[in-house]
């Protein structure tokens, strides 16, 4: 059981906008940057968002991140079939003195 | 462009030591900008940070694994390695190596493709 909580699943139709939440506490999200990763099984996980809302080069602007208090969100607009993947948030936790990942959210494109 | 590649046995017997190596290409493991990290994904579960090493050999480990874990670096080969002792079925997972930023930790980029390790007799 991770100290950072994500919904196990999310879904949307092509073209739709979906959001995935990441909920934590003052010892992690409330005090540190949040990062988001996309993982298609069998492939290398990919960095989508760093420092709460920054996109690495090559990541489409359909992906955006935000943070408020002890929660963070990943938004995907213009949903596409190849967005179907597992999504993870990651954040430093002061109590554990190390990085923690959320449990992951499986996104299904209907 | 930096690339990472994991290598090691795909099958380890219970109570033995799991040993993996990550080879870095297209960049130097001596680059002071980065940590070098191990992360795993057990079947049906989410990602778990295992630990990291700096080019100096300084390490940081997940407290839940610390008693069984050793991460080392070989700068002459541009490689870093993981040794996990006394493995059980719970250590069955896909193991990934990744680069992390010293001034932006948790920014894991890029990752290796991953290697599946099964603990079974």
């Amino acid at each position: 059981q991770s100290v950072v909580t994500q919904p196990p699943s999310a879904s949307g139709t092509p073209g739709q906008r979906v959001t995935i939440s990441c909920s934590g506490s003052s010892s992690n999200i409330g005090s540190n940057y949040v990062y988001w990763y996309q993982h298609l099984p069998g492939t290398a996980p990919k960095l989508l968002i760093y420092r709460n809302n920054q996109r690495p080069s090559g990541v489409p602007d359909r992906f955006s991140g935000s943070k408020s208090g002890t929660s963070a969100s990943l938004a995907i607009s213009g949903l596409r079939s190849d967005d179907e993947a597992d999504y993870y948030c990651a954040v430093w936790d002061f109590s554990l003195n190390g990085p923690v990942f959320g449990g992951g959210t499986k996104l299904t494109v209907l | 462009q930096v690339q990472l590649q994991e290598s090691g046995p795909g099958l380890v017997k219970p109570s033995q030591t799991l040993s993996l190596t990550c080879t870095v290409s297209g960049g130097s493991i001596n680059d002071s900008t980065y940590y070098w990290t191990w992360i795993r994904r057990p079947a049906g579960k989410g990602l778990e940070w295992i630990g990291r090493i700096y080019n100096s050999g300084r390490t940081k480990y997940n407290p839940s694994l610390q008693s069984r874990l050793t991460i080392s670096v070989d700068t002459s080969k541009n490689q870093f390695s993981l040794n996990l002792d006394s493995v059980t079925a719970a250590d069955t997972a896909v193991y990934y190596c990744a680069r992390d930023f010293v001034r932006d930790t948790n920014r894991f980029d890029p990752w290796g493709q991953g290697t599946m390790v099964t603990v079974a007799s």
Side-chain angles (χ1 to χ4, degrees):
Chain A
Q1 192 97 7
S2 178
V3 297
V4 175
T5 303
Q6 295 181 236
S9 63
S11 63
T13 56
Q16 204 172 18
R17 182 178 187 270
V18 297
T19 60
I20 296 171
S21 63
C22 178
S23 178
S25 68
S26 58
S27 70
N28 43 66
I29 293 177
S31 307
N32 297 296
Y33 290 121
V34 178
Y35 300 74
W36 289 93
Y37 296 88
Q38 178 190 59
H39 189 204
L40 285 75
T43 69
K46 176 184 175 183
L47 175 69
L48 282 181
I49 298 289
Y50 66 98
R51 291 197 171 192
N52 300 334
N53 55 19
Q54 302 299 301
R55 276 187 310 276
S57 61
V59 174
D61 59 6
R62 300 188 299 108
F63 295 89
S64 62
S66 64
K67 187 183 105 167
S68 179
T70 58
S71 293
S73 292
L74 173 72
I76 309 171
S77 60
L79 200 61
R80 297 168 31 151
S81 58
D82 59 359
D83 294 330
E84 195 163 276
D86 296 323
Y87 292 84
Y88 293 88
C89 58
V91 62
W92 188 271
D93 185 273
F94 284 132
S95 298
L96 296 178
N97 196 23
V100 291
F101 287 95
T105 298
K106 183 175 183 61
L107 176 63
T108 301
V109 181
L110 302 169
Chain B
Q1 184 174 344
V2 172
Q3 293 184 313
L4 290 80
Q5 179 66 58
E6 306 87 351
S7 59
L11 180 64
V12 181
K13 289 180 167 47
S15 80
Q16 294 193 342
T17 296
L18 183 162
S19 296
L20 297 175
T21 295
C22 181
T23 301
V24 179
S25 59
S28 174
I29 208 166
N30 270 320
D31 192 327
S32 60
T33 310
Y34 306 110
Y35 296 120
W36 304 95
T37 298
W38 288 99
I39 294 164
R40 69 182 182 180
R41 182 176 182 178
K45 296 187 178 181
L47 296 169
E48 179 182 30
W49 179 77
I50 297 172
R52 73 185 186 199
I53 192 164
Y54 193 57
N55 58 18
S56 64
R58 187 176 82 238
T59 55
K60 189 171 193 65
Y61 298 153
N62 186 321
S64 69
L65 299 170
Q66 184 159 351
S67 64
R68 301 190 289 130
L69 181 62
T70 303
I71 297 177
S72 58
V73 65
D74 186 336
T75 56
S76 67
K77 294 182 179 179
N78 229 30
Q79 294 176 335
F80 62 107
S81 299
L82 173 152
N83 276 356
L84 186 63
D85 298 330
S86 306
V87 297
T88 70
D91 296 309
T92 294
V94 179
Y95 285 75
Y96 299 93
C97 56
R99 187 181 68 174
D100 190 11
F101 289 63
V102 170
R103 292 186 179 274
D104 197 10
T105 188
N106 287 10
R107 183 178 172 179
F108 305 114
D109 184 36
W111 299 54
Q113 286 293 313
T115 187
M116 178 70 205
V117 178
T118 300
V119 178
S121 53

